Amino acid sequence: MKKICKRCVLIALSLVMALQLSACGKEGKTSSENDTKQGGTSSVGEPVRVKEDGMLFETRKVDNPDITMLIFWDPMEDINEINALYKKIYGGNVEVLVKAWGQKASLIASYAASGTKAEIVMLSKTDFPVMSASGVLEEIDLAKLDSNSEYWNINNMKNLTSINGKNYGLCFNNLNIVSTPLILFNKKIFSEFGQKTPLEYFRENAWNWDNFRKTAASLTMDKDGDGKTDLYGYDVSLSGAPGYLMESNGAEPLKYTDNTFSLNLNDPRVLAAYQLYSDMYNVDKSICTTEFKEYSNFLNGKTAMTTIAINQMAQLYADGMEAGSIGFAPFPSGPAAQGKHFANYEGHLIVGSVKGTGNTDATLAWMECAVSVWNKLALDSPPEITSYLYNDEEKAVIKEINAKTVKYEDSGLKYTADGSYGTRYINTCFLTAQEMVYKIRENLPLSTVMEQYKPTLQGYLDAANELLKTAK
């Protein structure tokens, strides 16, 4: 994959790489540097509700600002910046305990059993569900978390980190709209062929599947007359397509009721999502036929639209796209979504707290510092660091999209099982659902593909249900 600058990656994939680390993570103990307290809180009385430099949020009252962080990989630059900002605002030391990746589950369980406190625990989508179900994490009331940022939809994340109606953490990766997969489009191609852009449709409240399909088909053509298609309307990764389409139609492939997973493939909203992909690929032939080249195809002008995170604009421009030639809009709204738009929030890094710690105001304060730092890295860092500085027009579009993106609690979406998304079985189930796209690309009837894969999918769900029973 093309090299992307360090800070850009920190926002786009915010510590996803930690999921790939082996159990050989080194152990250690560090502490944030001692800065002079400039905080907006005091240990007694009412909180001083002011915004400090570098904070998107008003400060809160934190009685016990000294906190402990459990992390299972070497802290990166952004974590150090978050701890420094927390120290500056609240005056508390952040004791950072670096432990081996393989210790995570047993160590957190032992902390909870022994009453050892840790306000900040770095988790992932692969371990959070079982930990939250097994009672080793502190319940956190996210209603107390400020969410007045222009660029962040914190409320969209609540159902990703809740189970049985209770919340046990905050999911950070892809919390920011600028690290969310959207529709990117090549302005020059749209202008050349006189096509209305996705953003124009969006502003007219008409960015739906019908106009998406029509636009993609109109921009699929043999430009040089050699009998081969050399411009496609759309390209998307095979791994991402099912999720994007189902979410945009207010649907998901699994259900979670009474602490049990079940398949939801017969849901008309799910079937419609797969059918749209089949129609665009097999009938309109407007989806590019190459695999896993959505970045390079868009870069080289082979596709008019693609779905990748918009912070990859930095690398696209660095790799040669003309300045200002990229536009973006949310994913189009499906028929069942009735004009609502959903961003694809696929959480990887989840921050929780060990059960019994009891210092949730400090946990929430650290989370707000984290949001502030990551927002700054995404939007306001100097060009020499991010390779690209969003201009005023692009920032305005980001705000516009954020303002119109539906909150999960308003949409009815719970994205895979009330926050239980993440076990290796469910991940494997999703991968199998993605494999169904390969068969659809072979122009097999949708009903045939569904029946072929149901037994495999159900097997993964059975294993996940047994795992959750054990966790309970």
Side-chain angles (χ1 to χ4, degrees):
M1 177 176 248
K2 301 249 188 311
K3 180 179 179 182
I4 302 176
C5 67
K6 179 178 179 182
R7 289 203 178 193
C8 212
V9 171
L10 289 175
I11 299 305
L13 301 173
S14 192
L15 301 176
V16 175
M17 61 189 300
L19 299 178
Q20 301 171 340
L21 295 178
S22 65
C24 62
K26 85 175 182 182
E27 297 190 20
K29 182 175 180 177
T30 65
S31 179
S32 57
E33 296 181 0
N34 292 322
D35 299 326
T36 302
K37 180 176 180 179
Q38 303 178 27
T41 65
S42 62
S43 60
V44 294
E46 294 300 315
V48 182
R49 303 298 286 174
V50 297
K51 285 186 181 179
E52 297 286 344
D53 181 45
M55 283 288 285
L56 292 172
F57 308 100
E58 294 177 339
T59 54
R60 62 178 62 248
K61 183 176 181 290
V62 177
D63 290 329
N64 302 302
D66 290 341
I67 61 176
T68 298
M69 171 189 292
L70 280 178
I71 188 168
F72 301 91
W73 55 86
D74 290 330
M76 297 183 186
E77 184 179 354
D78 57 343
I79 297 295
N80 296 331
E81 288 192 35
I82 294 165
N83 291 343
L85 181 60
Y86 177 85
K87 174 70 176 180
K88 173 184 175 183
I89 303 300
Y90 295 102
N93 291 310
V94 182
E95 184 182 35
V96 181
L97 303 180
V98 184
K99 300 295 182 178
W101 181 264
Q103 284 186 279
K104 188 188 299 185
S106 60
L107 186 64
I108 293 173
S110 68
Y111 266 50
S114 65
T116 304
K117 301 181 184 302
E119 285 82 357
I120 304 297
V121 179
M122 295 296 182
L123 303 167
S124 71
K125 68 177 184 179
T126 57
D127 48 46
F128 173 80
V130 173
M131 290 189 186
S132 60
S134 61
V136 299
L137 299 179
E138 189 94 302
E139 183 180 351
I140 298 176
D141 182 6
L142 290 186
K144 295 180 179 179
L145 184 67
D146 285 332
S147 57
N148 59 349
S149 167
E150 296 173 325
Y151 306 109
W152 294 72
N153 274 330
I154 291 175
N155 289 333
N156 279 350
M157 305 308 298
K158 291 181 180 178
N159 283 324
L160 280 176
T161 49
S162 66
I163 189 167
N164 298 327
K166 296 180 179 180
N167 190 279
Y168 296 93
L170 183 67
C171 181
F172 280 96
N173 178 236
N174 286 358
L175 179 59
N176 189 336
I177 197 72
V178 302
S179 61
T180 298
L182 304 175
I183 295 288
L184 269 62
F185 60 90
N186 187 316
K187 294 180 181 178
K188 293 184 66 177
I189 292 175
F190 274 78
S191 176
E192 179 183 356
F193 295 101
Q195 290 290 323
K196 186 180 291 187
T197 70
L199 184 59
E200 289 174 315
Y201 276 120
F202 174 66
R203 286 172 170 166
E204 295 173 0
N205 297 317
W207 186 224
N208 52 44
W209 279 8
D210 287 341
N211 285 326
F212 171 51
R213 182 180 175 185
K214 179 181 70 175
T215 301
S218 297
L219 290 172
T220 299
M221 63 189 74
D222 173 13
K223 294 172 63 178
D224 57 13
D226 66 354
K228 298 179 181 179
T229 301
D230 41 35
L231 175 62
Y232 289 88
Y234 183 58
D235 196 11
V236 62
S237 72
L238 293 181
S239 60
Y244 304 149
L245 290 168
M246 281 184 270
E247 282 186 0
S248 70
N249 204 29
E252 52 193 346
L254 306 178
K255 292 187 293 186
Y256 182 69
T257 53
D258 299 326
N259 299 323
T260 302
F261 291 108
S262 60
L263 290 176
N264 195 38
L265 295 181
N266 290 326
D267 186 326
R269 299 170 301 171
V270 173
L271 294 172
Y274 278 108
Q275 190 63 56
L276 175 64
Y277 185 94
S278 178
D279 290 342
M280 291 179 68
Y281 186 87
N282 295 308
V283 179
D284 304 341
K285 302 188 184 304
S286 59
I287 295 179
C288 194
T289 56
T290 56
E291 297 178 13
F292 305 112
K293 291 186 177 181
E294 60 275 6
Y295 177 93
S296 60
N297 287 336
F298 186 71
L299 171 67
N300 298 323
K302 190 174 181 179
T303 55
M305 297 181 289
T306 190
T307 298
I308 54 178
I310 66 170
N311 60 11
Q312 291 195 45
M313 287 168 57
Q315 193 63 39
L316 286 165
Y317 285 133
D319 285 342
M321 286 194 73
E322 183 178 326
S325 64
I326 304 172
F328 50 90
F331 208 86
S333 175
Q338 299 180 334
K340 297 176 182 177
H341 293 272
F342 312 100
N344 177 264
Y345 293 91
E346 182 182 285
H348 295 281
L349 174 65
I350 299 174
V351 176
S353 180
V354 171
K355 186 175 179 63
T357 297
N359 194 10
T360 54
D361 281 331
T363 300
L364 291 168
W366 189 93
M367 288 177 174
E368 290 172 346
C369 289
V371 169
S372 300
V373 167
W374 281 324
N375 182 81
K376 180 174 181 249
L377 293 179
L379 290 170
D380 298 323
S381 294
E384 63 267 21
I385 295 175
T386 64
S387 299
Y388 182 68
L389 187 64
Y390 293 93
N391 60 37
D392 290 341
E393 179 184 357
E394 289 163 343
K395 287 187 179 183
V397 174
I398 291 171
K399 294 178 190 178
E400 187 179 354
I401 292 174
N402 245 3
K404 291 185 179 180
T405 301
V406 175
K407 299 176 182 178
Y408 271 104
E409 55 265 40
D410 294 337
S411 70
L413 264 179
K414 291 192 175 181
Y415 197 71
T416 324
D418 198 20
S420 293
Y421 168 58
T423 69
R424 63 181 178 274
Y425 302 108
I426 301 305
N427 282 339
T428 307
C429 185
F430 263 83
L431 289 173
T432 306
Q434 292 159 8
E435 288 176 11
M436 292 164 60
V437 177
Y438 284 101
K439 294 298 181 182
I440 290 172
R441 286 166 70 110
E442 295 176 9
N443 207 13
L444 292 175
L446 189 59
S447 58
T448 301
V449 176
M450 292 290 184
E451 290 304 316
Q452 179 178 344
Y453 278 93
K454 273 184 181 178
T456 302
L457 293 170
Q458 188 60 55
Y460 292 131
L461 292 187
D462 291 343
N465 288 328
E466 286 301 314
L467 185 64
L468 285 179
K469 286 180 184 178
T470 303
K472 290 290 184 184

